[in-house]
Amino acid sequence: MLNVCVIGCGRAGMIHARSYAGKVIGARLAAVCDPFEEARENAAAELGVPRTYADWHDVMADPDIDAVVVVTPTGMHRDIVVAAAAAGKHVFCEKPMASSEEECDEMIAACAQAGVKLQIGFMRRFDESMEHAKEAIDAGEIGDVVLVKSLTHGPSHPKEWMYDVRKSYGPIGEVSSHDMDMLRFFTGSEVASVYAVGGNYRSPEVAAEWPEWYDTFAMTLTFENGMLGMVDGAQYVQYGYDSRLEVLGTKGSILVGAQPRESYTVATADGKVRRPMNNSWTYLYREAYIREAQAFVDAIVHDTETRVTGHDGKMAIRLVNMGLRSLLEHRIVLASER
Ligand SMILES: NC(=O)c1ccc[n+]([C@@H]2O[C@H](COP(=O)([O-])OP(=O)(O)OC[C@H]3O[C@@H](n4cnc5c(N)ncnc54)[C@H](O)[C@@H]3O)[C@@H](O)[C@H]2O)c1
């Protein structure tokens, strides 16, 4: 049994904590870490965790912890991952991987040098619908891929730490780094150019303090292999959690997403149809989170490469950074500028 410690017991941290507390074969939730006492104690009480830590440095000194799951705000990922690798612990790190490609390089090198696994939290790759779409593309069912369109709209109010887009990236990284990864996954290529536009449409009260904050963006991309991409992302949309993907090929197309929360539809005499909307990513991707955790543990146990590598995390950061620069500087950004 691998002993896992979840570091950061917030929204995403609790998803991972619940997965490791009984849903993943070969691993158990041995500890949780969070400086915020209420988050830490609530997690421990809900999941019956024997050990809690207020300071992540103490996790690194615990010889019983085999692997850490890093789910703190993004700006802390690099320091925690590098320290975990130095302590010989396998690492699962949430997206966005870090604050720059240089930080990603440091994290990749630290894990490689220590011989520990590194997996990044792009759980959509473990979503069965996405997997089937990829299989259909690889089998040539829609001809050659021409255009990949991906959108994510999140319902929740932004957290305070997200308003500084130089640190959090804003929705391009916070919500849509998943879309960036899906574009790489389905084009099988790296980005060549990005053009993004965006604005703050829902939180005018923070505009004076955070003039760069945007809650909605639209982006067009080209890839090295000639394929095209489109992404739109938004935060605090309130109507639900909306995640859709469309792949247009030379001989067909594939649509993934817009799954209703329940499988019932109400049709009434006034000609209207109603069906429940997904309200959370925690629901839409609940199975994918468990499958990604299982894949992480399996990669450790069988000593294989993780299915979402540090390189995947880094290349998504490249896309996110180019998108943010394009949005802030109002111009097309080319990968060749780097
Ligand atoms: N894969 C996904 O679908 C997904 C979804 C949401 C968030 N995320 C990512 O997960 C990370 C956390 O996001 P969130 O929405 O859960 O944020 P959050 O604010 O809800 O939770 C962050 C937690 O980290 C804790 N924390 C802060 N400093 C810490 C420290 N020094 N050591 C340990 N814990 C510390 C906070 O107290 C808080 O409980 C971000 O990188 C985010 O982008 C991924």
Side-chain angles (χ1 to χ4, degrees), residues 17-188:
R18 290 184 188 117
S19 294
Y20 287 101
K23 295 186 185 132
V24 178
I25 298 162
R28 70 176 147 232
L29 184 65
V32 290
C33 168
D34 200 303
F36 181 39
E37 186 178 358
E38 195 181 324
R40 187 171 74 236
E41 295 309 327
N42 283 348
E46 178 191 324
L47 301 169
V49 188
R51 257 171 290 177
T52 63
Y53 292 103
D55 185 338
W56 60 263
H57 294 90
D58 296 333
V59 178
M60 307 311 161
D62 183 341
D64 288 341
I65 300 297
D66 302 301
V68 294
V69 177
V70 181
V71 209
T72 58
T74 306
M76 299 170 195
H77 290 179
R78 186 265 310 265
D79 287 354
I80 300 176
V81 169
V82 169
K89 304 192 189 306
H90 300 286
V91 178
F92 178 97
C93 177
E94 258 307 341
K95 52 48 63 179
M97 183 171 168
S99 302
S100 66
E101 286 188 45
E102 290 70 27
E103 285 192 2
C104 295
D105 284 334
E106 282 180 56
M107 295 155 80
I108 293 167
C111 291
Q113 201 176 350
V116 296
K117 303 292 174 195
L118 172 61
Q119 183 171 319
I120 309 302
F122 288 128
M123 77 294 174
R124 289 188 192 179
R125 292 196 187 211
F126 299 89
D127 176 78
E128 284 186 272
S129 301
M130 298 293 188
E131 285 178 342
H132 291 314
K134 184 77 164 77
E135 282 161 19
I137 289 166
D138 291 346
E141 286 188 52
I142 62 165
D144 297 327
V145 172
V146 175
L147 170 67
V148 183
K149 289 162 72 173
S150 187
L151 74 78
T152 306
H153 300 166
S156 333
H157 195 278
K159 300 249 173 190
E160 195 65 31
W161 59 265
M162 296 174 189
Y163 289 129
D164 183 353
V165 301
R166 306 274 171 168
K167 288 199 180 126
S168 73
Y169 300 113
I172 290 179
E174 189 44 38
V175 176
S176 286
S177 52
H178 289 296
D179 300 288
M180 307 304 161
D181 184 59
M182 285 293 101
L183 259 59
R184 288 189 64 245
F185 188 55
F186 285 105
T187 60

